[in-house]
Amino acid sequence: MQKSQRKAVAAIEHMLQETELEKVSSCHGFGKLTFLRLDLSSLASVSEFVKDFNALDIPLNILVLNPGIMKSPGADFVGQNMTYSEAHIGVNHIAHSHLTHLLLDQLKASAPSRVVTVSSMAEMGAYEDGFRFDEWKIDNGIMPESYEDGKAYGQSKLANLMFTSELAKRMNGTGVTAYSCHPGIIKSDLGRYMDTQIEKSLLGQFFELAMFSAKDGALTQLHLATAPVEELENGKFYHPIGRVVNPSYSKARNDELQQILWDETEMAIKFRNEYRN
């Protein structure tokens, strides 16, 4: 946590220098950057973060969810703080969903507002049946023999886009809109555990050529966060830079499966909160 805080403070200082935001803020009274602690492997931390945010007493017009753990090695598959949850679904989906639920009243009170969720084209790599809800909670911290980390990551990214689509429907008429996106293949630390598997392959060489810089990889999210709402399609899935696409997973727009995902997520959050208490 201390390392993450140091990185966050350094990033804030860098942004202030790059944008001269302090000068703008002092002249016009806006543009302040504030660091709040948030550990998305812990639902307790999510709840504390929301309390800290609400205490600021400021509007919430844009919520960007940027879930991103992929192919974590060894014991990291099981998030101890998430009560023995498979880490990809626990961090990438359940914790971000919990964060969104806790902030919904603030989003509605601040309307017009929007939620932007960073999914991935990896949604195409989810399990054939989409979700394996029975594997979300891992008994005694032991993964089933059928476990495959790439499929688990794909499941979490499919959950991101389907949750966002269902959220858009449930928020209809409230002034809150929601969008999900694949940001592109970005050169970052996200795939650091894949290097030994693909660095010498043709696929690895292709990825290297296709990769966006970290700055360019933020463009799709920024577009969805700032474009006039009438220029966007509520609940839809976007590819770089602002192109609406159909998800690759065939049932991604299935209303019944979206509702099941929503309900299973709420039950998972309730279980983890009850276990914690």
Side-chain angles (χ1 to χ4, degrees), residues 31-104:
K32 183 179 180 181
L33 293 175
T34 301
F35 168 73
L36 298 178
R37 293 175 180 268
L38 174 59
D39 177 3
L40 285 155
S41 70
S42 165
L43 294 189
S45 177
V46 172
S47 298
E48 284 300 314
F49 168 83
V50 172
K51 290 180 182 178
D52 292 342
F53 177 79
N54 288 338
L56 296 176
D57 194 26
I58 57 176
L60 178 58
N61 299 109
I62 302 169
L63 174 62
V64 178
L65 307 175
N66 188 27
I69 61 166
M70 180 173 71
K71 294 179 74 68
S72 303
D76 285 347
F77 287 147
V78 182
Q80 300 295 328
N81 289 343
M82 290 295 293
T83 317
Y84 293 115
S85 169
E86 194 281 322
H88 293 96
I89 200 69
V91 174
N92 290 352
H93 171 62
I94 295 173
H96 283 80
S97 299
H98 187 45
L99 176 64
T100 305
H101 281 297
L102 293 180
L103 290 171
L104 278 181

Side-chain angles (χ1 to χ4, degrees), residues 96-233:
H96 283 80
S97 299
H98 187 45
L99 176 64
T100 305
H101 281 297
L102 293 180
L103 290 171
L104 278 181
D105 286 344
Q106 186 72 286
L107 285 163
K108 287 186 280 190
S110 305
S113 56
R114 63 185 76 180
V115 178
V116 178
T117 307
V118 181
S119 177
S120 170
M121 66 184 296
E123 49 89 11
M124 70 173 64
Y127 300 108
E128 185 176 348
D129 45 357
F131 303 106
R132 293 187 175 177
F133 299 114
D134 58 333
E135 294 183 4
W136 283 17
K137 179 184 179 298
I138 307 303
D139 292 331
N140 300 316
I142 300 173
M143 305 304 299
E145 291 185 5
S146 61
Y147 181 79
E148 201 282 308
D149 55 6
K151 293 288 186 182
Y153 176 70
Q155 173 185 229
S156 73
K157 294 287 103 179
L158 176 63
N160 289 154
L161 77 88
M162 293 187 71
F163 169 81
T164 305
S165 180
E166 181 68 13
L167 176 66
K169 289 184 288 188
R170 291 177 181 245
M171 291 296 103
N172 185 40
T174 66
V176 180
T177 53
Y179 317 93
S180 61
C181 70
H182 163 60
I185 301 172
I186 302 169
K187 192 169 187 177
S188 70
D189 288 339
L190 177 63
R192 60 191 176 279
Y193 299 117
M194 295 179 64
D195 291 348
T196 57
Q197 301 175 42
I198 67 171
E199 61 186 356
K200 296 181 181 180
S201 70
L202 291 174
L203 181 61
Q205 295 174 31
F206 169 77
F207 278 171
E208 185 70 24
L209 292 173
M211 280 182 178
F212 287 178
S213 68
K215 286 185 177 180
D216 288 344
L219 291 176
T220 303
Q221 299 90 291
L222 288 172
H223 171 70
L224 295 175
T226 60
V229 68
E230 60 269 14
E231 295 180 8
L232 301 174
E233 295 186 47

